[in-house]
Amino acid sequence: MDKLSVFLFVLSFSTIVNAGSGSHSLWALATHIIGETPFPEFTVVVMLDDVQVGYYDSNMKEFIYSGLNPTDKIHDDVAQDGAYVFGTIYQSIKERSFQLKHHLNLTRGVQVQQRMAGCEMLDNGEPAMIMSKNTFNAIYTDRMLYYNMTHFTYDAGKLLPGWDGIRQAYLRTLFENVYLPICIKTMKTFLKREKNIVMRKVPPRLRLINKEVSGGLQVSCLAFGFYPRHINLTLLRDGQPVAEQELTGGEVLPSGDGTYQLRKSLEVSTEELKKRHDYTCTASHLSLDNKLDVSWESGAEKVHLSTLSVLLVMLLIVILLGIFICVKRRRCTAS
Ligand SMILES: *[C@@H]1O[C@H](CO)[C@@H](O)[C@H](O)[C@H]1NC(C)=O
Ligand SMILES: *[C@@H]1O[C@H](CO)[C@@H](O)[C@H](O)[C@H]1NC(C)=O
Ligand SMILES: *[C@@H]1O[C@H](CO)[C@@H](O)[C@H](O)[C@H]1NC(C)=O
């Protein structure tokens, strides 16, 4: 169940990363466990965009930078703010876990509460939003708080009743005036630290791949090896974009080497293949000044076939000529 919940959590996390309007984001993914497991009671993973930058747990009670040994502790502002914020989250998430456990009569087993909290910042350094979202035992979405500089949204969830207005007002003040400034300040520090990774621009490579499938051909447009993950990939037929509902794929996936890939596929029937169409795959990405494209033309096989048959006929003539000459010579020598 633990694996499943982590998986679901990461799923919802990636959805949010996609939906964000900000150009950079800092998220804390916190997990609180009640019950016997090999993990610490409370753990936090800190992500800058898609890169893990830090870690905190209830055993160490200290913020640890990623890529460093726990022994090489750095006691700077970020580490202090981290220890403060995650200490606060630990207390509140723990309290809520026990409230939920009692309210739902969960006397046995392992209970997992997860919280995803973080902020987004625009390119110009202005804060864009802050949000916190809870999940209990991976199935119930619980409380949600969201503030985007103009609107504050609060959803108490259905698990625990009775969250009064005063508490809401207090949370709004806390989010606007304490957590958001800390989050943005911390993000700026991390951006400086990790600029070689999160600010890098790696252009995509593009391929148009044809694969035979029953009933025709699958034409796939593949972009790979790019960073950051935002990309616009369009498949055009005779210069017109193919409608998204005709396409399969379309999800940006990590390649495992810190870059991303995206594939969009179209099924083309054997009938359609006979017609002459120009298929073009075009990509635009932050790393590119101009669009990148590759093309392929269907219905061009006939030309290939006729060229091939001309070659075959020529070959046949040469062979026949050879035989003819040879037979003639033998006759000559025989006479
Ligand atoms: C929990 O147990 C109490 C007493 O046994 C009962 O009144 C209550 O309805 C139960 N709550 C749930 C959510 O099942
Ligand atoms: C903030 O959220 C509200 C409600 O969801 C929306 O109407 C508004 O356009 C958002 N503002 C910004 C700046 O995104
Ligand atoms: C993708 O297209 C949208 C809409 O045209 C545009 O706003 C965005 O900047 C493009 N993204 C990239 C990476 O080119």
Side-chain angles (χ1 to χ4, degrees), residues 303-314:
V303 181
H304 290 153
L305 269 184
S306 59
T307 326
L308 200 68
S309 41
V310 167
L311 279 174
L312 276 174
V313 169
M314 279 168 79

Side-chain angles (χ1 to χ4, degrees), residues 60 62-65 68-75:
M60 298 186 302
E62 263 176 300
F63 180 83
I64 305 294
Y65 286 97
L68 287 183
N69 288 324
T71 44
D72 306 333
K73 281 170 187 155
I74 301 178
H75 292 283

Side-chain angles (χ1 to χ4, degrees), residues 102-106:
H102 289 129
H103 182 70
L104 300 170
N105 287 347
L106 302 165

